[in-house]
Structure formats: C-alpha cells, structure tokens
Amino acid sequence: MSKMHPQVRKYRRTLILLTGALVIWWILSSSLKSLVNSEFTKLERHMNSEVPSTLSIINRSSFNWSNVSFRFPAGDMIPLPTGKSRQLPSIQARFRAETSSAKEKREAKRLEVKEVFLNDWKAYKKYAWMKDALSPISGGFLDQFSGWAATLVDSLDTLWILGLREEFDEAVTAVANIDFGISSSSRVNIFETNIRYLGGLLAAYDLSKREILLTKAIELGDLLYSAFNTENRMPVDFIEFKTAKTGEGLTVESSVVSASPGTLSLEMTRLSQITGNSKYYDAIARVMDVFYRGQNQTSLPGLWPKYVSMSAQDVTSGDQYTLGGCADSLYEYLPKEYALLGGRELKYEMMSRGFLETAKNNLLFRPMLPKNEPILIASSASVSSIGEVSLDEETEHLACYLGGVYALSGKLFDKPEYVKIGTKLSLGCVYAYRSFPTGMMPERINMVACKSFEDCEWDGARFDKEKNKQREWKDHIPLGFTTAKDPRYILRPEAIESVFIMYRITGKPIWQDLGWEMFMAIVNGTKTEMGTHAAVKDVTRAAEALPQDDYMESFWLAETLKYFYLLFSTPDIISLDDYVLNTEAHPFLRPK
C-alpha cells in the first residue's frame, strides 16, 4: 500500500480542523440566535426594558422588623450551601418544532386563557383594589390575609408572564405602598403569608429585578423571621403581631398541621440566596433537620403524621397520615428544595426518596372502575398500635399536586418509575374531572381500592357493598365513586398543575388536550353574571347555572390560570430546568 505524501496529510488535517471549526461556529451561532429569538427572551425585553424612575419610589413600612431585638437569638448560623451546583438531570422534554397549524391553535388557546385572566384582573382592580380578595358575585371584597393586598401580590408574576406590562407596572407601584408594619388581623398566619406574599414578591423580583419588590420581600421576610423568636427556634403557626414587635419572644403552639412548618423552606432559602443573608436559611434548616431526624422514627417510616408538635420538636407521634391537605406541601417542597439548592444538600434527596417509596407502598391505590382504567389515587391512612395500615380510600383535589411531584422527582433522581406513577396519578385526577357532569372534580371523593396496582377487575357486587357503607353516597354520583363528600370546586389549581408538569416532562400534546377540556369546563362552570369566576357549591349535578359562592381565591389568578397559560406557552417560558415553582406557583430562579 502506498503511503500518503506528508504535504497531503497536512492539507487533510487542516481541512478537518477548518470543517470542525465551521461546524462548532454554526452550532454556537444557531444556539445564540435561538436564545436571542426565544419567546422568553422577547418577553424579558418587553417586560424589563426602560423602567421609568418613577416606578422605583419605595415607601418603607411603618415598622422596621429588622431592628427587633430577639429574646431568643439564633446563635451559630447554619450557612447557606454555596459553590458550584451538582449537575442535575434535565427535567423538561426536548420539544419538536411546531407546525404552523399547531402553533396557531396553541396560540389561540393561550390568548383565550389570557383574556379570562385579564377580565378577572380588571374586576379585582375595579371592586377590590389593594384588598386581599374579590367577591366576584356581589362586587365586594374580603381581607382575610392581614389586608396586604393578597390577590395583587399573588398575581404579580402572572402579570409578568402574561406580558401585561402596563398592569404589572401599576401593580409594582401599588406594592411599594404596602405597609407590613400594620395588619388587619391581630395574628398573622405564617403559612399563607409565606407562600402567597413572600413567594409572590420573590418570584416577581426574580423575573423583573425591580428593587421595590426585593425591598418589600426583605421587609416581609424579617416579619416572618420573627416567628422563629422562640425558646427552641421552632416557628409559631400564627404570629401575635403586637407581641412580635416587642421581641420578647413567642410561644410555639403544641400541635400544628405538618405542612405549616414544613412549607417555609423554598421561600426562606431563595431570600437568603438573593440577599446573601443566611439567617433566613438558618431558620428553616433547623426546622427541616427536625423532620429529617424523625422521618424513619414514625409509625409509618418515611412519612410524617398529619399533626406535629414543634414546641416539643416531635414529628413522630401520631397515627394519621395523608398526602393531601394538612401535609401536602411538606412533601412537595422536599424535591423542590433539593433542586433550588442545586443538589448541594443531600438530605433533601434522602427525604424525598423516603417519602415517595413509603407513599407508593402505603397511600396510593388503584381504584376499581367499570372500564378498568389504569389510574392511581393518592389517599390517607391510619396506623394501628401493631403497625397495621388502614387506607381510607378517600382523596381530595388538594392531593392532585402529587402526580407532578412524582414526575419531577423521577427526572431529578433518574427514577423512570416515578414518572410513570406521576402519569397515573395525574390521569387519576383528570378521570375525576371527566367523570362528573360539570367536567369539574369535587373537593373530596371516595372510591374503592383494588387489591393491588395490577390485580384490578371490576366487581359490581363489591362496589355495591362498599358504597352502602358510605352514608354520603347518592344515586346521582358516577359509577366508580362511593361519595362526593365535599361537592364543591373552589377554583383550585392542583390538577392542572400536574397536567402542566406532565406536559413539560413528556412533551406529549395529549396533556394539552386534556388541559383544554378542563379549562373549558372550569371557565364555563364558574362564570358569574358579572363575567367573573366564583367557587361552585356542587359540581356533581349539571345545571344551566351552577350554585356559587361569592368568593374568588387569590390562587385562581396566581396559580390556576397561570398553569393553564403556561400549558399553552412555548416551553422556554418558565422552563422547569431554570425555575422551581413554590406551592402557590411562584417561580424561583434556580442558581447555576
């Protein structure tokens, strides 16, 4: 075989190098062009450019919570984990390019969601501006969360995401006048204040970088920090407002729902990350250490009882367990805190895996259905003195968040089984929506559990026997359900939350189709004569005009409509690889 001439080899190497350089240049330039022209980048330019100086005027609160001298100071601080984040797996699917027809249909749906939001926002502005909640039937208002304009603050990031620049600027200016030195109530609920107010301010700051929002977040964060001025540094459930100002110390309640102390981590961590002040992270790290130490010491190891005692630092006593209300966001925050900390704190992965496994084996069930649909339902249980677990075969709308949490965890921890479980849980809630004649899921329902996830054949005689045990059973309830104990729909977001997450994780358009069905049913079923939207008293019976309550929770604008809007937005808008959403759908930027 003849040898290649040295000069030829030289030219060949040069050609290969030039070709490689051109390929790299083309890839980088294409990526840069894609980034510059991305929908999220366009949105950022629209919302964040040329902010008038008049929108930077801040009115400080009448009381400076940072100046309170604590009777029970923290002592040595637990530092915020810093340094380079671990290389966590991608969460979102790789989406294919849209056809022009598919884009047109998606855009039409997105704009319809935006119109519903804007109409309800205008009603809030007209009838309840700077109040906590709109009364959507009478045109009145309520102040049930200390009177700091809960709906306004809760909706800030939704306004930004929807590209409503004029409305966002107006809302930010209004936030500058909120006075966290006064309260319409003598006691401040730290759970609601944390997720709605602090979460709303932090997310809006992460998106817009408006200093007004950070200033107000710090003011409120310092108010909430006073909840930890207790003898054992565990937080109170309600802050006695006047007493907290004195710094003399607060008394921790003997019993609280586990979600209350367990749902402070994301907000306090993000506040520390933004400000560089570890005191907020230190406060919640001490709380979560108590949960970490007690996780495997309970009567159902891996889960915590519904009620805990932070005064005794006892999170192990008790025999009632649930994945729904009272405990829900405690579990939701574990994998999300792991992601927000960039995987630097492994105890959150351990706690996440522990609860997901125990829940899978004890609190999830496959319901017995006439057509044997392979769905899963999240439930509650009690544990006897000899360790026997009794499932109550009951679920609630609040528990519909769990499908999304399993799917997110499956991606974060490289556990495909969890994504499959998340799919079945999400479809379980969709099934409930589609089963009732109004297309909406009731607040609380019962079904009959199959013997296992696999062994599940319809047994009419068994179903009749089980339904007859339920005094709340009514003959109009769809087959497969033994009760609709609480027949209301109060504009809740948890089901569409999981549908949105499943879409972003799988990239499958079926989730958009299911979400659109839900949207149309909800919007039509909750619409008032004023054109606003209100809670419905009974979704188990069809009627031309459903009975309604004169109430519109702030989470309707903050969560429910936001998730619907994001479902029909391009996947770069609030990418799950860049943001962690708190339990009120407020997106916190993940540090890289």
Side-chain angles (χ1 to χ4, degrees), residues 487-562:
R488 296 175 301 153
Y489 173 71
I490 63 172
L491 306 174
R492 283 205 187 277
E494 293 80 15
I496 188 56
E497 172 185 350
S498 285
V499 167
F500 158 72
I501 292 171
M502 291 308 310
Y503 172 65
R504 288 292 183 89
I505 284 177
T506 66
K508 295 180 179 179
I510 183 63
W511 293 105
Q512 289 180 309
D513 297 338
L514 295 172
W516 186 247
E517 276 186 27
M518 294 164 63
F519 175 76
M520 294 304 294
I522 291 169
V523 168
N524 292 331
T526 62
K527 194 168 186 178
T528 69
E529 291 183 2
M530 277 180 53
T532 54
H533 295 84
V536 175
K537 294 179 180 180
D538 188 350
V539 298
T540 67
R541 298 179 187 271
E544 187 173 336
L546 296 173
Q548 295 177 322
D549 278 321
D550 192 15
Y551 191 50
M552 188 184 84
E553 278 271 13
S554 68
F555 55 61
W556 169 243
L557 300 179
E559 296 187 76
T560 310
L561 290 178
K562 182 190 295 168

Side-chain angles (χ1 to χ4, degrees), residues 133-291:
L134 169 70
S135 300
I137 297 174
S138 63
F141 60 82
L142 293 171
D143 269 335
Q144 78 278 45
F145 295 123
S146 300
W148 297 321
T151 293
L152 187 150
V153 177
D154 221 0
S155 303
L156 284 169
D157 51 21
T158 312
L159 291 167
W160 192 97
I161 290 166
L162 270 60
L164 298 170
R165 176 63 187 266
E166 181 179 340
E167 290 81 2
F168 181 74
D169 286 350
E170 183 179 32
V172 171
T173 301
V175 166
N177 295 310
I178 294 175
D179 187 353
F180 292 120
I182 59 175
S183 170
S184 62
S185 56
S186 61
R187 303 167 76 232
V188 174
N189 181 310
I190 67 163
F191 173 84
E192 300 292 355
T193 303
N194 179 64
I195 65 171
R196 301 190 196 220
Y197 287 113
L198 184 56
L201 291 168
L202 290 171
Y205 173 76
D206 264 342
L207 293 170
S208 71
K209 297 299 184 285
R210 303 282 183 94
E211 287 299 320
I212 289 176
L213 301 171
L214 179 56
T215 298
K216 287 299 176 181
I218 293 171
E219 287 184 352
L220 182 57
D222 287 335
L223 188 166
L224 289 171
Y225 188 67
S226 72
F228 298 86
N229 182 18
T230 64
E231 190 170 3
N232 63 3
R233 297 295 298 172
M234 294 295 106
V236 296
D237 199 26
F238 284 85
I239 298 172
E240 294 290 345
F241 203 68
K242 289 183 179 179
T243 305
K245 287 183 175 181
T246 69
E248 66 186 52
L250 303 174
T251 302
V252 182
E253 298 88 348
S254 60
S255 179
V256 295
V257 296
S258 58
S260 179
T263 312
L264 302 170
S265 55
L266 289 181
E267 295 79 8
M268 289 298 193
T269 295
R270 188 63 191 135
L271 186 55
S272 281
Q273 289 175 337
I274 293 171
T275 62
N277 189 337
S278 283
K279 75 175 187 179
Y280 310 106
Y281 176 78
D282 166 79
I284 61 93
R286 295 169 189 265
V287 175
M288 296 315 297
D289 280 345
V290 173
F291 281 99

